[in-house]
Amino acid sequence: MPQPLIDRYRDFLPVSSSTPVVSLGEGATPLVELPHLSARTGARLLAKVEGANPTGSFKDRGMTMAVSKAVEQGADAVICASTGNTSASAAAYAARAGLRAVVLIPEGKIAAGKLAQALIHGAQVLALDAGFDTALEIVRQIVERHNVSLVNSLNEYRIDGQRTAAYEICDELGDAPDALCIPVGNAGNVSAYSLGFGAYRDAGRTRRVPTLFGFQATGAAPLVLGHPVEDPETVASAIRIGNPARGQQALGAMESSGGQVEAVSDEEILEAYRLLARREGVFCEPASAASVAGALRRASSGGLRAGATVVCVLTGHGLKDPTTAIQESAAVKALPARLDAVEEALFG
Ligand code: F0G
């Protein structure tokens, strides 16, 4: 197993020798060059492939911290509201630690792979007739009334753990990139990157911090609109969020870096999703492709400097959402099992 993330970045994390480390070998994810998209944009585009984490998303970086601290503090259960990935990660790390996990999800609105993960790891899955925002509100009330540890990104340990993605990028590039493009949902991850880049610069590990560009889906863009969205809707189900818990913090972080938050349409997201898969060989989930959709949009409007090093965060694995992958692809051709039929299909 790779060294636990907590051990690799122990100096930057609020852990002590008595913290029990609950790890599945998270982090150390690949930073992959995107030659096709780089040629297209004139920038040097790289993908931080967070789908390579143990449960297939960046949440594992935060969850190893949140669950380790929950065990240290004597919690006997963890709880979260989720659009899918947090629930999958919480379920896996809780299983590893022998803790009970409870997850609240919007009914019928999370991708099949994520639901499968939460269920197989033995979490108690409660599907609410509501969106993520209402589910999170209920979770906040539960943790005030019961000895259950909240593992949404409102939990500071989640943010501490997720900062490590910024450390890894800087370690690999030898400095911070010029810009970071990242999808924004509940706004925890962009906040974590901002803090991570800042901490690394303050520790003298890098000279600068990158410009942060966050991307929401047009139908779920409260930070772009400047007010909550009642019924958020987007193909990118992971970021179908109308009232981000860390919205103000994230806006401040993006603005102070010289960047901003922008909306990308579902069409732009799906175009980037297909391009990544077909031209770069990188399969991410739709929400993740919002980062690349944003980079492409910025490049086409002159918003990315030629030659700039731009890291796009691909937050979750494509296998999380097989339904969208199949929908966005050509139909499978069924044939009789005969040589002539196969030759006809291949060569006409
Ligand atoms: N990308 C993916 C694949 C996600 O699952 C999420 C959030 C985000 C981006 C946005 O990150 O919320 O920190 O701004 N997923 C959460 C969940 C909400 O419940 O799995 P954020």
Side-chain angles (χ1 to χ4, degrees), residues 57-59 81-87 114 132 152-153 162 183-190 238-239 241 285 287-288 315-316:
S57 85
F58 72 95
K59 305 288 179 177
S82 182
T83 57
N85 281 322
T86 301
S87 66
K114 305 174 187 181
F132 170 85
N152 279 104
S153 61
Q162 286 171 212
V184 174
N186 211 27
N189 208 29
V190 65
I239 52 172
I241 292 176
E285 64 171 284
S288 308
T315 45

Side-chain angles (χ1 to χ4, degrees), residues 1 22 62 67 78 94 115 126 151 171 202 208 244 252 256 288 291 322 345:
M1 181 167 94
V22 181
V67 171
V78 297
L115 181 60
L126 306 176
V151 295
D171 286 343
D202 294 348
R208 55 182 187 155
S256 66
S288 308
S291 61

Side-chain angles (χ1 to χ4, degrees), residues 6-314:
I6 289 177
D7 289 335
R8 221 164 337 116
Y9 290 108
R10 192 164 269 274
D11 294 350
F12 288 88
L13 293 168
V15 290
S16 72
S17 54
S18 58
T19 308
V21 174
V22 181
S23 173
L24 291 167
E26 56 291 318
T29 57
L31 190 61
V32 176
E33 299 276 353
L34 301 175
H36 172 78
L37 295 176
S38 296
R40 202 187 239 240
T41 56
R44 178 188 175 201
L45 249 59
L46 301 112
K48 181 67 171 161
V49 183
E50 290 291 275
N53 276 296
T55 78
S57 85
F58 72 95
K59 305 288 179 177
D60 296 345
R61 295 180 183 277
M63 208 55 73
T64 184
M65 276 298 296
V67 171
S68 296
K69 295 303 273 190
V71 173
E72 183 176 12
Q73 291 163 2
D76 40 31
V78 297
I79 189 168
C80 64
S82 182
T83 57
N85 281 322
T86 301
S87 66
S89 186
Y93 282 81
R96 184 81 180 178
L99 293 181
R100 177 179 175 196
V102 180
V103 307
L104 272 60
I105 57 170
E107 185 179 12
K109 297 285 193 184
I110 80 168
K114 305 174 187 181
L115 181 60
Q117 289 177 288
L119 292 170
I120 198 70
H121 287 303
Q124 196 172 350
V125 178
L126 306 176
L128 306 189
D129 179 17
F132 170 85
D133 304 288
T134 304
L136 182 58
E137 192 43 51
I138 293 174
V139 164
R140 291 170 95 145
Q141 292 175 34
I142 296 272
V143 298
E144 277 182 17
R145 298 156 61 95
H146 304 274
N147 179 30
V148 183
S149 179
L150 176 142
V151 295
N152 279 104
S153 61
L154 285 165
N155 179 327
E156 288 302 327
Y157 298 125
R158 280 274 315 274
I159 301 296
D160 293 329
Q162 286 171 212
R163 289 178 181 208
T164 59
Y167 308 155
E168 287 177 11
I169 291 169
C170 295
D171 286 343
E172 188 154 346
L173 294 176
D175 197 359
D178 293 300
L180 186 92
C181 295
I182 182 169
V184 174
N186 211 27
N189 208 29
V190 65
S191 303
Y193 271 89
S194 166
L195 291 166
F197 285 120
Y200 236 41
R201 182 201 47 200
D202 294 348
R205 304 277 188 110
T206 58
R207 289 188 308 272
R208 55 182 187 155
V209 295
T211 308
L212 303 176
F213 296 108
F215 298 96
Q216 299 196 298
T218 302
L223 300 182
V224 179
L225 296 170
H227 58 77
V229 173
E230 190 76 38
D231 284 311
E233 197 43 74
T234 166
V235 68
S237 59
I239 52 172
R240 193 184 279 141
I241 292 176
N243 192 10
R246 290 191 185 263
Q248 289 313 312
Q249 180 181 356
L251 280 174
M254 289 182 273
E255 277 160 23
S256 66
S257 76
Q260 60 188 37
V261 65
E262 295 172 21
V264 283
S265 69
D266 279 8
E267 292 69 35
E268 290 175 292
I269 289 172
L270 291 173
E271 170 70 11
Y273 172 72
R274 287 187 301 258
L275 271 174
L276 279 163
R278 291 187 195 171
R279 304 301 300 262
E280 305 286 9
V282 177
F283 185 25
C284 66
E285 64 171 284
S288 308
S291 61
V292 170
L296 291 175
R297 156 94 73 72
R298 289 200 67 81
S300 68
S301 61
L304 279 191
R305 189 171 51 76
T309 298
V310 180
V311 173
C312 296
V313 183
L314 299 185

